[in-house]
Amino acid sequence: MAAAQDRAAAVFHSEPQSRNLRSFDYIWTTIRDKHWDPKLGGLDWQSVRDELRPRVEKTATPAEARPILQEMIGRLHQSHFGVVPSDIYQDIQEPSGQIAPEDEGWTGLDVRVIGGKALVTSVDAGAPAYIRGVRPGWQLLKIDHAPVESLLEKVNTAYWNSTMRGLLLARAVLSKLNGRVGTQARIEFLDGAGKIVETDIARTRPSGIQSRFGYLPACYVRMESRRLGGNIGYIGFNFFLAPAAVMKKFEEAVKSCRECPGIIIDLRGNPGGIGAMAIGMAGWFINQPNQQLGAMYTRDATLHFIVNPRLETYGGPLAILVDDCSASTSEVFAQGMRDLGRARIFGIKTAGAALPSVFERLPNGDGFQYAIANYLSKGGKTLEGAGVVPDEEVKLSRAALLEGRDPVLEAALRWIQAQSTQNGSGR
């Protein structure tokens, strides 16, 4: 009844007012119907609507309505719920929303925002950027003539108090770098010698396996396994997706490393994906039954991340690398393995985005993010809005990147080597 009255009343408002009202109603209804707690922690949601909706009726622009929408959402006192200004919403979206998956292209660069600067952290060896001479540590100054600093300022302003800020900053830069296959990105860099380098980099089809899951855009899954100094195993992958291929390669990597003095799993930049994959991977390192990484709570069900041990598990030291772009399933895996006393974590605090969440565009053009589940680790820790805090905080720096060094990986190697020494050369 109330919804019908709202639609009728909207006829008497200007179109901008109508769009703001429809946006308000969409947010209010979505939280009412999809929040994992139907009682919203005792919050009188109807009263919130009755109080705030009349204020939206007086707004003429999205900018005027936005603080009221944020105030409504703020009554929940929960992260992963928010309104994003339309220009920022566009900046943080992957290009797959406008480009067919088969036409998506990349430059081969991965990026993090470190010390307020957008820095290249890795360059795919076969990608155009590598061929053009771009190397880790180079700073991005402009993309297609637009200053990167301005883009970072916008995202920083919108997410100044969010644990997801690092993730969204990197995503905003990457969304500008990526585009349609066959086009070129005009990029201005500050190289390692302090010289400005401007170059055109062709966008080509990304390496890896294309995969889609749930609300995520099309992704290209890449996995690497190798041996480091001292025969220490290294496994890194960028999504918990493409399970048939990734789980098989993961199994092969662990089995081939049974005699290794330690294994490192690199989840930096991994935004998550399929939760069940974390359970399967954990089974290679947990030898006791009925252990779990934690539990996910939705309105209709509870999913326990119960680990089933493999026949032959790896019992040596396990290090997990994370950063502020590690999210969702990466956080569940890292925190769960630590709670079980099975891993030591290195890097910087993760994104605090353990909950499955949705980004949608509102009728007034702004974006709306909302979570559809809650997660508690085995140790009873809520990761949402808090993140996984490493056992050893180690930060990347431009100087280290330019030297070809990885301080986070180095710290993990030192720890594993120390364990081997304490145990009489390990395995």
Side-chain angles (χ1 to χ4, degrees), residues 303-323:
L303 172 64
H304 293 279
F305 286 68
I306 298 175
V307 179
N308 294 314
R310 306 286 179 161
L311 291 177
E312 296 183 50
T313 58
Y314 176 81
L318 177 65
I320 299 176
L321 313 186
V322 298
D323 65 8

Side-chain angles (χ1 to χ4, degrees), residues 123-145:
V123 189
D124 190 272
Y130 187 87
I131 297 171
R132 301 293 285 182
V134 182
R135 294 295 181 265
W138 285 28
Q139 180 184 344
L140 290 94
L141 302 177
K142 293 181 181 179
I143 302 174
D144 292 330
H145 307 291

Side-chain angles (χ1 to χ4, degrees), residues 31-43:
I31 292 173
R32 181 195 65 186
D33 296 343
K34 296 185 178 181
H35 194 280
W36 62 85
D37 177 8
K39 296 182 179 180
L40 300 179
L43 179 65

Side-chain angles (χ1 to χ4, degrees), residues 5 25-26 39 65-66 73 86 90 115 118 142 146 156 165 171 180 212 218 242 262 266 289 301 327 343 364 391:
Q5 292 173 343
D25 293 337
Y26 184 82
K39 296 182 179 180
R66 196 175 301 133
I73 293 171
S86 58
Q90 184 62 43
K142 293 181 181 179
N156 265 320
R165 184 172 53 169
R171 182 177 294 176
R180 190 178 301 276
R212 282 182 176 271
D266 194 344
N364 69 1
D391 296 293

Side-chain angles (χ1 to χ4, degrees), residues 26 30 34 80-82 215 356-358 360 368-372:
Y26 184 82
T30 298
K34 296 185 178 181
H80 246 58
F81 291 83
Y215 298 105
S357 67
V358 182
E360 293 182 338
F368 172 41
Q369 181 190 19
Y370 61 94
I372 57 176

